[in-house]
mmCIF file of all heavy atoms in Angstrom:
data_model
loop_
_atom_site.group_PDB
_atom_site.id
_atom_site.type_symbol
_atom_site.label_atom_id
_atom_site.label_comp_id
_atom_site.label_asym_id
_atom_site.label_seq_id
_atom_site.Cartn_x
_atom_site.Cartn_y
_atom_site.Cartn_z
ATOM 1 N N LEU X 1104 -6.081 -74.723 68.066
ATOM 2 C CA LEU X 1104 -4.974 -75.189 67.231
ATOM 3 C C LEU X 1104 -4.000 -74.093 66.896
ATOM 4 O O LEU X 1104 -4.427 -73.038 66.385
ATOM 5 C CB LEU X 1104 -5.591 -75.768 65.901
ATOM 6 C CG LEU X 1104 -4.552 -76.440 65.012
ATOM 7 C CD1 LEU X 1104 -3.983 -77.699 65.655
ATOM 8 C CD2 LEU X 1104 -5.187 -76.751 63.664
ATOM 9 N N GLU X 1105 -2.719 -74.310 67.249
ATOM 10 C CA GLU X 1105 -1.688 -73.307 66.958
ATOM 11 C C GLU X 1105 -0.706 -73.780 65.907
ATOM 12 O O GLU X 1105 -0.156 -72.976 65.215
ATOM 13 C CB GLU X 1105 -0.943 -72.977 68.262
ATOM 14 C CG GLU X 1105 -1.823 -72.323 69.287
ATOM 15 C CD GLU X 1105 -1.067 -72.011 70.587
ATOM 16 O OE1 GLU X 1105 0.130 -72.347 70.661
ATOM 17 O OE2 GLU X 1105 -1.658 -71.489 71.498
ATOM 18 N N ASN X 1106 -0.505 -75.095 65.806
ATOM 19 C CA ASN X 1106 0.468 -75.634 64.911
ATOM 20 C C ASN X 1106 -0.180 -76.787 64.082
ATOM 21 O O ASN X 1106 -0.713 -77.706 64.607
ATOM 22 C CB ASN X 1106 1.701 -76.232 65.659
ATOM 23 C CG ASN X 1106 2.418 -75.197 66.445
ATOM 24 O OD1 ASN X 1106 3.106 -74.391 65.846
ATOM 25 N ND2 ASN X 1106 2.236 -75.212 67.747
ATOM 26 N N LEU X 1107 -0.028 -76.666 62.757
ATOM 27 C CA LEU X 1107 -0.554 -77.715 61.873
ATOM 28 C C LEU X 1107 0.547 -78.097 60.884
ATOM 29 O O LEU X 1107 1.092 -77.275 60.192
ATOM 30 C CB LEU X 1107 -1.777 -77.175 61.078
ATOM 31 C CG LEU X 1107 -2.349 -78.085 60.039
ATOM 32 C CD1 LEU X 1107 -2.833 -79.408 60.638
ATOM 33 C CD2 LEU X 1107 -3.519 -77.394 59.318
ATOM 34 N N PHE X 1108 0.855 -79.409 60.880
ATOM 35 C CA PHE X 1108 1.848 -79.977 59.981
ATOM 36 C C PHE X 1108 1.113 -80.894 59.007
ATOM 37 O O PHE X 1108 0.420 -81.811 59.437
ATOM 38 C CB PHE X 1108 2.864 -80.795 60.730
ATOM 39 C CG PHE X 1108 3.714 -80.004 61.662
ATOM 40 C CD1 PHE X 1108 3.296 -79.666 62.959
ATOM 41 C CD2 PHE X 1108 5.005 -79.649 61.282
ATOM 42 C CE1 PHE X 1108 4.087 -78.916 63.800
ATOM 43 C CE2 PHE X 1108 5.820 -78.910 62.147
ATOM 44 C CZ PHE X 1108 5.348 -78.541 63.370
ATOM 45 N N LEU X 1109 1.240 -80.651 57.715
ATOM 46 C CA LEU X 1109 0.735 -81.547 56.693
ATOM 47 C C LEU X 1109 1.867 -82.076 55.888
ATOM 48 O O LEU X 1109 2.609 -81.298 55.247
ATOM 49 C CB LEU X 1109 -0.243 -80.786 55.753
ATOM 50 C CG LEU X 1109 -1.470 -80.170 56.455
ATOM 51 C CD1 LEU X 1109 -2.291 -79.367 55.408
ATOM 52 C CD2 LEU X 1109 -2.343 -81.208 57.088
ATOM 53 N N VAL X 1110 2.043 -83.350 55.867
ATOM 54 C CA VAL X 1110 3.147 -84.010 55.152
ATOM 55 C C VAL X 1110 2.539 -85.110 54.315
ATOM 56 O O VAL X 1110 1.939 -86.070 54.799
ATOM 57 C CB VAL X 1110 4.222 -84.552 56.115
ATOM 58 C CG1 VAL X 1110 5.330 -85.241 55.337
ATOM 59 C CG2 VAL X 1110 4.741 -83.480 57.028
ATOM 60 N N SER X 1111 2.744 -85.018 53.015
ATOM 61 C CA SER X 1111 2.298 -86.061 52.063
ATOM 62 C C SER X 1111 0.790 -86.388 52.250
ATOM 63 O O SER X 1111 0.420 -87.462 52.615
ATOM 64 C CB SER X 1111 3.105 -87.341 52.204
ATOM 65 O OG SER X 1111 4.447 -87.103 51.860
ATOM 66 N N THR X 1112 -0.035 -85.388 52.017
ATOM 67 C CA THR X 1112 -1.470 -85.622 52.106
ATOM 68 C C THR X 1112 -2.086 -85.297 50.734
ATOM 69 O O THR X 1112 -1.508 -84.749 49.905
ATOM 70 C CB THR X 1112 -2.111 -84.693 53.174
ATOM 71 O OG1 THR X 1112 -2.047 -83.334 52.716
ATOM 72 C CG2 THR X 1112 -1.459 -84.832 54.532
ATOM 73 N N SER X 1113 -3.331 -85.728 50.623
ATOM 74 C CA SER X 1113 -4.060 -85.447 49.346
ATOM 75 C C SER X 1113 -5.025 -84.275 49.464
ATOM 76 O O SER X 1113 -5.815 -84.020 48.595
ATOM 77 C CB SER X 1113 -4.873 -86.710 48.968
ATOM 78 O OG SER X 1113 -5.803 -87.027 49.992
ATOM 79 N N PHE X 1114 -4.901 -83.533 50.551
ATOM 80 C CA PHE X 1114 -5.755 -82.347 50.741
ATOM 81 C C PHE X 1114 -5.525 -81.326 49.618
ATOM 82 O O PHE X 1114 -4.372 -80.986 49.319
ATOM 83 C CB PHE X 1114 -5.567 -81.688 52.111
ATOM 84 C CG PHE X 1114 -5.921 -82.550 53.272
ATOM 85 C CD1 PHE X 1114 -5.080 -82.669 54.346
ATOM 86 C CD2 PHE X 1114 -7.110 -83.279 53.278
ATOM 87 C CE1 PHE X 1114 -5.405 -83.457 55.397
ATOM 88 C CE2 PHE X 1114 -7.439 -84.083 54.364
ATOM 89 C CZ PHE X 1114 -6.591 -84.152 55.433
ATOM 90 N N GLU X 1115 -6.572 -80.785 49.087
ATOM 91 C CA GLU X 1115 -6.489 -79.777 48.047
ATOM 92 C C GLU X 1115 -6.579 -78.385 48.638
ATOM 93 O O GLU X 1115 -6.337 -77.414 47.935
ATOM 94 C CB GLU X 1115 -7.668 -79.956 47.035
ATOM 95 C CG GLU X 1115 -7.542 -81.250 46.261
ATOM 96 C CD GLU X 1115 -8.734 -81.492 45.378
ATOM 97 O OE1 GLU X 1115 -9.724 -80.734 45.471
ATOM 98 O OE2 GLU X 1115 -8.666 -82.469 44.574
ATOM 99 N N GLY X 1116 -6.805 -78.262 49.949
ATOM 100 C CA GLY X 1116 -6.905 -76.963 50.601
ATOM 101 C C GLY X 1116 -7.335 -77.103 52.025
ATOM 102 O O GLY X 1116 -7.686 -78.196 52.491
ATOM 103 N N LEU X 1117 -7.461 -75.959 52.694
ATOM 104 C CA LEU X 1117 -7.892 -75.935 54.109
ATOM 105 C C LEU X 1117 -9.135 -75.057 54.294
ATOM 106 O O LEU X 1117 -9.343 -74.548 55.383
ATOM 107 C CB LEU X 1117 -6.761 -75.407 54.963
ATOM 108 C CG LEU X 1117 -5.472 -76.217 54.974
ATOM 109 C CD1 LEU X 1117 -4.386 -75.491 55.724
ATOM 110 C CD2 LEU X 1117 -5.711 -77.582 55.595
ATOM 111 N N GLN X 1118 -9.939 -74.946 53.226
ATOM 112 C CA GLN X 1118 -11.106 -74.087 53.314
ATOM 113 C C GLN X 1118 -12.074 -74.424 54.439
ATOM 114 O O GLN X 1118 -12.785 -73.577 54.944
ATOM 115 C CB GLN X 1118 -11.824 -74.097 51.966
ATOM 116 C CG GLN X 1118 -11.057 -73.473 50.832
ATOM 117 C CD GLN X 1118 -10.080 -74.420 50.184
ATOM 118 O OE1 GLN X 1118 -9.828 -75.519 50.667
ATOM 119 N NE2 GLN X 1118 -9.566 -74.036 49.030
ATOM 120 N N ASN X 1119 -12.154 -75.698 54.789
ATOM 121 C CA ASN X 1119 -13.112 -76.142 55.819
ATOM 122 C C ASN X 1119 -12.598 -75.997 57.243
ATOM 123 O O ASN X 1119 -13.327 -76.181 58.192
ATOM 124 C CB ASN X 1119 -13.521 -77.598 55.584
ATOM 125 C CG ASN X 1119 -14.315 -77.735 54.301
ATOM 126 O OD1 ASN X 1119 -14.991 -76.843 53.845
ATOM 127 N ND2 ASN X 1119 -14.144 -78.928 53.717
ATOM 128 N N LEU X 1120 -11.336 -75.688 57.396
ATOM 129 C CA LEU X 1120 -10.755 -75.601 58.744
ATOM 130 C C LEU X 1120 -11.005 -74.224 59.335
ATOM 131 O O LEU X 1120 -10.722 -73.199 58.750
ATOM 132 C CB LEU X 1120 -9.232 -75.852 58.667
ATOM 133 C CG LEU X 1120 -8.440 -75.656 59.950
ATOM 134 C CD1 LEU X 1120 -8.887 -76.661 61.008
ATOM 135 C CD2 LEU X 1120 -6.934 -75.797 59.656
ATOM 136 N N LYS X 1121 -11.541 -74.241 60.578
ATOM 137 C CA LYS X 1121 -11.723 -73.027 61.376
ATOM 138 C C LYS X 1121 -10.719 -73.127 62.513
ATOM 139 O O LYS X 1121 -10.932 -73.966 63.447
ATOM 140 C CB LYS X 1121 -13.157 -72.915 61.899
ATOM 141 C CG LYS X 1121 -14.201 -72.981 60.819
ATOM 142 C CD LYS X 1121 -14.157 -71.747 59.939
ATOM 143 C CE LYS X 1121 -15.261 -71.744 58.971
ATOM 144 N NZ LYS X 1121 -14.931 -72.096 57.584
ATOM 145 N N ALA X 1122 -9.684 -72.340 62.488
ATOM 146 C CA ALA X 1122 -8.609 -72.398 63.496
ATOM 147 C C ALA X 1122 -8.127 -70.983 63.715
ATOM 148 O O ALA X 1122 -7.129 -70.551 63.159
ATOM 149 C CB ALA X 1122 -7.483 -73.322 63.060
ATOM 150 N N PRO X 1123 -8.853 -70.190 64.553
ATOM 151 C CA PRO X 1123 -8.488 -68.775 64.695
ATOM 152 C C PRO X 1123 -7.127 -68.519 65.334
ATOM 153 O O PRO X 1123 -6.552 -67.462 65.173
ATOM 154 C CB PRO X 1123 -9.621 -68.220 65.576
ATOM 155 C CG PRO X 1123 -10.202 -69.417 66.252
ATOM 156 C CD PRO X 1123 -10.008 -70.570 65.330
ATOM 157 N N LYS X 1124 -6.566 -69.509 66.057
ATOM 158 C CA LYS X 1124 -5.296 -69.291 66.728
ATOM 159 C C LYS X 1124 -4.119 -69.912 65.948
ATOM 160 O O LYS X 1124 -3.002 -69.923 66.472
ATOM 161 C CB LYS X 1124 -5.322 -69.862 68.117
ATOM 162 C CG LYS X 1124 -6.200 -69.059 69.068
ATOM 163 C CD LYS X 1124 -5.998 -69.563 70.515
ATOM 164 C CE LYS X 1124 -6.767 -68.643 71.475
ATOM 165 N NZ LYS X 1124 -6.507 -69.003 72.823
ATOM 166 N N LEU X 1125 -4.382 -70.416 64.758
ATOM 167 C CA LEU X 1125 -3.307 -71.066 63.953
ATOM 168 C C LEU X 1125 -2.176 -70.044 63.723
ATOM 169 O O LEU X 1125 -2.344 -68.997 63.175
ATOM 170 C CB LEU X 1125 -3.862 -71.591 62.627
ATOM 171 C CG LEU X 1125 -2.891 -72.438 61.856
ATOM 172 C CD1 LEU X 1125 -2.524 -73.721 62.589
ATOM 173 C CD2 LEU X 1125 -3.449 -72.762 60.512
ATOM 174 N N ASP X 1126 -0.987 -70.427 64.205
ATOM 175 C CA ASP X 1126 0.144 -69.552 64.163
ATOM 176 C C ASP X 1126 1.238 -70.105 63.202
ATOM 177 O O ASP X 1126 1.920 -69.373 62.557
ATOM 178 C CB ASP X 1126 0.766 -69.377 65.579
ATOM 179 C CG ASP X 1126 1.802 -68.321 65.633
ATOM 180 O OD1 ASP X 1126 1.645 -67.303 64.960
ATOM 181 O OD2 ASP X 1126 2.790 -68.557 66.387
ATOM 182 N N ARG X 1127 1.323 -71.428 63.110
ATOM 183 C CA ARG X 1127 2.350 -72.053 62.276
ATOM 184 C C ARG X 1127 1.683 -73.141 61.394
ATOM 185 O O ARG X 1127 1.030 -74.020 61.928
ATOM 186 C CB ARG X 1127 3.439 -72.678 63.139
ATOM 187 C CG ARG X 1127 4.254 -71.652 63.860
ATOM 188 C CD ARG X 1127 5.303 -72.330 64.718
ATOM 189 N NE ARG X 1127 6.037 -71.337 65.480
ATOM 190 C CZ ARG X 1127 5.667 -70.925 66.697
ATOM 191 N NH1 ARG X 1127 4.635 -71.491 67.278
ATOM 192 N NH2 ARG X 1127 6.356 -70.039 67.318
ATOM 193 N N LEU X 1128 1.919 -73.039 60.134
ATOM 194 C CA LEU X 1128 1.392 -73.977 59.174
ATOM 195 C C LEU X 1128 2.555 -74.481 58.339
ATOM 196 O O LEU X 1128 3.251 -73.707 57.660
ATOM 197 C CB LEU X 1128 0.358 -73.305 58.271
ATOM 198 C CG LEU X 1128 -0.222 -74.121 57.099
ATOM 199 C CD1 LEU X 1128 -0.892 -75.399 57.631
ATOM 200 C CD2 LEU X 1128 -1.165 -73.301 56.317
ATOM 201 N N TYR X 1129 2.781 -75.775 58.377
ATOM 202 C CA TYR X 1129 3.855 -76.412 57.596
ATOM 203 C C TYR X 1129 3.236 -77.336 56.579
ATOM 204 O O TYR X 1129 2.446 -78.199 56.925
ATOM 205 C CB TYR X 1129 4.782 -77.208 58.527
ATOM 206 C CG TYR X 1129 5.420 -76.357 59.604
ATOM 207 C CD1 TYR X 1129 4.823 -76.219 60.829
ATOM 208 C CD2 TYR X 1129 6.631 -75.689 59.353
ATOM 209 C CE1 TYR X 1129 5.421 -75.416 61.791
ATOM 210 C CE2 TYR X 1129 7.224 -74.865 60.311
ATOM 211 C CZ TYR X 1129 6.584 -74.790 61.554
ATOM 212 O OH TYR X 1129 7.169 -73.954 62.503
ATOM 213 N N ILE X 1130 3.606 -77.152 55.311
ATOM 214 C CA ILE X 1130 3.060 -77.965 54.258
ATOM 215 C C ILE X 1130 4.249 -78.566 53.461
ATOM 216 O O ILE X 1130 5.021 -77.808 52.870
ATOM 217 C CB ILE X 1130 2.154 -77.142 53.291
ATOM 218 C CG1 ILE X 1130 0.997 -76.520 54.104
ATOM 219 C CG2 ILE X 1130 1.615 -78.031 52.169
ATOM 220 C CD1 ILE X 1130 0.210 -75.560 53.279
ATOM 221 N N PHE X 1131 4.358 -79.863 53.535
ATOM 222 C CA PHE X 1131 5.497 -80.555 52.862
ATOM 223 C C PHE X 1131 4.957 -81.631 51.925
ATOM 224 O O PHE X 1131 4.116 -82.430 52.365
ATOM 225 C CB PHE X 1131 6.475 -81.209 53.862
ATOM 226 C CG PHE X 1131 7.062 -80.230 54.839
ATOM 227 C CD1 PHE X 1131 6.604 -80.239 56.134
ATOM 228 C CD2 PHE X 1131 8.080 -79.407 54.468
ATOM 229 C CE1 PHE X 1131 7.163 -79.316 57.059
ATOM 230 C CE2 PHE X 1131 8.635 -78.516 55.370
ATOM 231 C CZ PHE X 1131 8.182 -78.471 56.681
ATOM 232 N N MET X 1132 5.396 -81.691 50.720
ATOM 233 C CA MET X 1132 5.041 -82.714 49.765
ATOM 234 C C MET X 1132 3.513 -82.941 49.638
ATOM 235 O O MET X 1132 3.074 -84.090 49.565
ATOM 236 C CB MET X 1132 5.788 -84.015 50.073
ATOM 237 C CG MET X 1132 7.294 -83.833 50.039
ATOM 238 S SD MET X 1132 8.305 -85.317 50.253
ATOM 239 C CE MET X 1132 7.485 -86.261 51.466
ATOM 240 N N CYS X 1133 2.777 -81.902 49.640
ATOM 241 C CA CYS X 1133 1.331 -81.988 49.427
ATOM 242 C C CYS X 1133 1.034 -81.461 48.029
ATOM 243 O O CYS X 1133 0.668 -80.301 47.825
ATOM 244 C CB CYS X 1133 0.576 -81.124 50.483
ATOM 245 S SG CYS X 1133 0.833 -81.733 52.170
ATOM 246 N N TYR X 1134 1.231 -82.342 47.067
ATOM 247 C CA TYR X 1134 1.192 -81.931 45.699
ATOM 248 C C TYR X 1134 -0.189 -81.640 45.147
ATOM 249 O O TYR X 1134 -0.343 -81.008 44.128
ATOM 250 C CB TYR X 1134 1.871 -83.000 44.833
ATOM 251 C CG TYR X 1134 3.291 -83.229 45.243
ATOM 252 C CD1 TYR X 1134 3.697 -84.456 45.754
ATOM 253 C CD2 TYR X 1134 4.247 -82.206 45.152
ATOM 254 C CE1 TYR X 1134 4.997 -84.654 46.162
ATOM 255 C CE2 TYR X 1134 5.566 -82.399 45.563
ATOM 256 C CZ TYR X 1134 5.931 -83.631 46.085
ATOM 257 O OH TYR X 1134 7.226 -83.791 46.498
ATOM 258 N N GLN X 1135 -1.260 -82.064 45.854
ATOM 259 C CA GLN X 1135 -2.632 -81.754 45.403
ATOM 260 C C GLN X 1135 -3.071 -80.364 45.872
ATOM 261 O O GLN X 1135 -4.136 -79.943 45.489
ATOM 262 C CB GLN X 1135 -3.577 -82.831 45.949
ATOM 263 C CG GLN X 1135 -3.642 -84.077 45.106
ATOM 264 C CD GLN X 1135 -2.375 -84.964 45.198
ATOM 265 O OE1 GLN X 1135 -1.575 -84.716 46.086
ATOM 266 N NE2 GLN X 1135 -2.214 -85.858 44.292
ATOM 267 N N PHE X 1136 -2.339 -79.750 46.751
ATOM 268 C CA PHE X 1136 -2.684 -78.413 47.223
ATOM 269 C C PHE X 1136 -2.747 -77.463 46.063
ATOM 270 O O PHE X 1136 -1.785 -77.281 45.303
ATOM 271 C CB PHE X 1136 -1.658 -77.941 48.232
ATOM 272 C CG PHE X 1136 -2.215 -77.287 49.474
ATOM 273 C CD1 PHE X 1136 -2.806 -78.042 50.457
ATOM 274 C CD2 PHE X 1136 -2.190 -75.907 49.620
ATOM 275 C CE1 PHE X 1136 -3.336 -77.429 51.596
ATOM 276 C CE2 PHE X 1136 -2.697 -75.303 50.729
ATOM 277 C CZ PHE X 1136 -3.279 -76.067 51.743
ATOM 278 N N THR X 1137 -3.888 -76.851 45.857
ATOM 279 C CA THR X 1137 -4.128 -76.018 44.670
ATOM 280 C C THR X 1137 -3.596 -74.597 44.884
ATOM 281 O O THR X 1137 -3.416 -74.121 45.985
ATOM 282 C CB THR X 1137 -5.612 -75.953 44.359
ATOM 283 O OG1 THR X 1137 -6.260 -75.238 45.407
ATOM 284 C CG2 THR X 1137 -6.222 -77.311 44.178
ATOM 285 N N PRO X 1138 -3.344 -73.888 43.773
ATOM 286 C CA PRO X 1138 -2.930 -72.462 43.903
ATOM 287 C C PRO X 1138 -3.981 -71.653 44.598
ATOM 288 O O PRO X 1138 -3.624 -70.717 45.373
ATOM 289 C CB PRO X 1138 -2.791 -72.019 42.423
ATOM 290 C CG PRO X 1138 -2.507 -73.290 41.677
ATOM 291 C CD PRO X 1138 -3.238 -74.343 42.386
ATOM 292 N N GLU X 1139 -5.243 -71.953 44.430
ATOM 293 C CA GLU X 1139 -6.312 -71.196 45.143
ATOM 294 C C GLU X 1139 -6.214 -71.486 46.637
ATOM 295 O O GLU X 1139 -6.480 -70.608 47.463
ATOM 296 C CB GLU X 1139 -7.689 -71.639 44.607
ATOM 297 C CG GLU X 1139 -7.992 -71.274 43.191
ATOM 298 C CD GLU X 1139 -7.371 -72.241 42.198
ATOM 299 O OE1 GLU X 1139 -6.978 -73.364 42.535
ATOM 300 O OE2 GLU X 1139 -7.299 -71.847 41.001
ATOM 301 N N ALA X 1140 -5.840 -72.687 46.983
ATOM 302 C CA ALA X 1140 -5.694 -73.012 48.414
ATOM 303 C C ALA X 1140 -4.535 -72.255 49.054
ATOM 304 O O ALA X 1140 -4.656 -71.759 50.195
ATOM 305 C CB ALA X 1140 -5.482 -74.501 48.575
ATOM 306 N N TYR X 1141 -3.463 -72.092 48.314
ATOM 307 C CA TYR X 1141 -2.326 -71.311 48.826
ATOM 308 C C TYR X 1141 -2.724 -69.892 49.014
ATOM 309 O O TYR X 1141 -2.403 -69.208 50.001
ATOM 310 C CB TYR X 1141 -1.117 -71.427 47.924
ATOM 311 C CG TYR X 1141 -0.287 -72.656 48.120
ATOM 312 C CD1 TYR X 1141 -0.314 -73.681 47.160
ATOM 313 C CD2 TYR X 1141 0.443 -72.862 49.285
ATOM 314 C CE1 TYR X 1141 0.429 -74.848 47.350
ATOM 315 C CE2 TYR X 1141 1.148 -74.030 49.495
ATOM 316 C CZ TYR X 1141 1.160 -75.008 48.483
ATOM 317 O OH TYR X 1141 1.893 -76.140 48.708
ATOM 318 N N ALA X 1142 -3.534 -69.366 48.089
ATOM 319 C CA ALA X 1142 -4.018 -67.964 48.184
ATOM 320 C C ALA X 1142 -4.953 -67.790 49.374
ATOM 321 O O ALA X 1142 -4.991 -66.742 49.986
ATOM 322 C CB ALA X 1142 -4.715 -67.538 46.904
#
């Protein structure tokens, strides 16, 4: 996985995702995303 787009989801974070090649992450209107998840 290189590109992940999240738009209007209820995910609070991506702690469970293992994606060593992730290069681009787009997060739009994901209001449940916590400050800890951003960190």
Side-chain angles (χ1 to χ4, degrees):
L1104 185 67
E1105 294 179 1
N1106 298 287
L1107 175 60
F1108 294 82
L1109 299 177
V1110 180
S1111 297
T1112 69
S1113 59
F1114 297 134
E1115 295 174 350
L1117 298 173
Q1118 293 84 347
N1119 295 331
L1120 175 62
K1121 304 292 184 256
K1124 290 190 175 183
L1125 188 64
D1126 190 37
R1127 292 179 185 92
L1128 174 61
Y1129 300 92
I1130 302 172
F1131 302 105
M1132 299 186 321
C1133 296
Y1134 301 115
Q1135 277 71 14
F1136 223 76
T1137 65
E1139 295 82 14
Y1141 280 109

